[in-house]
Amino acid sequence: MRVWGFPSNLTDAEWAVLAPLIPQATPGGRPRKTDMRQAMDAIFYLLRTGSPWRYLPRDGFPPRSTVYNIFRKLQADGTWEAIWAELYVLLREREGREASPTAAVMDSQTIKSAEKGGAKRRISPRPSRRSGI
């Protein structure tokens, strides 16, 4: 059942980009019953609204425990990083830029701190008198 009432729901074009990045169900396991598009819609709903997991609407979304488990699995197997990387490349190409950056900006402060190796840790010269020694 598709729910069209939430602005955070994926469009067909957005889903066409994300669907290939979502891992297939594990072979040999129980067949997947959850519609992954609905699960992604639920995750984006929670991200957009900032709602806690327990406030996920029941109408049109899978159960919150299922959505949470899918979110955590995608986090653990690196799927979110792959999604962000793909979206980053698509955004750069849409802006007419190369897919990956070709230059970096460094100023004199960046170079100086790299030469010195960063801040030193301050070590107390003697033990505190309160230590009881």
Side-chain angles (χ1 to χ4, degrees):
M1 177 177 91
R2 292 287 303 144
V3 176
W4 299 106
F6 298 109
S8 59
N9 286 0
L10 293 166
T11 64
D12 291 337
E14 292 168 339
W15 180 243
V17 172
L18 290 183
L21 301 173
I22 306 295
Q24 297 298 317
T26 308
R30 199 170 74 193
R32 182 180 283 164
K33 293 180 183 177
T34 305
D35 179 9
M36 290 304 286
R37 184 169 178 173
Q38 285 182 341
M40 295 300 285
D41 282 344
I43 291 168
F44 290 133
Y45 172 84
L46 291 171
L47 291 172
R48 179 70 177 118
T49 62
S51 299
W53 288 99
R54 67 182 173 276
Y55 292 161
L56 181 67
R58 294 181 184 184
D59 296 335
F61 292 135
R64 70 174 186 227
S65 59
T66 303
V67 174
Y68 179 77
N69 290 336
I70 289 170
F71 175 81
R72 294 292 295 184
K73 183 178 183 314
L74 297 179
Q75 189 176 36
D77 67 10
T79 301
W80 287 120
E81 286 80 12
I83 290 171
W84 302 141
E86 180 69 20
L87 293 177
Y88 179 73
V89 167
L90 290 174
L91 176 64
R92 287 187 61 87
E93 290 174 349
R94 190 167 95 186
E95 292 177 344
R97 300 159 76 182
E98 290 189 31
S100 61
T102 57
V105 176
M106 298 178 86
D107 62 357
S108 61
Q109 292 299 322
T110 306
I111 303 299
K112 286 179 186 176
S113 67
E115 289 174 356
K116 292 184 179 181
K120 293 182 181 179
R121 286 183 64 179
R122 186 173 181 186
I123 299 174
S124 177
R126 58 188 167 97
S128 170
R129 292 184 180 185
R130 294 182 186 176
S131 65
I133 297 177

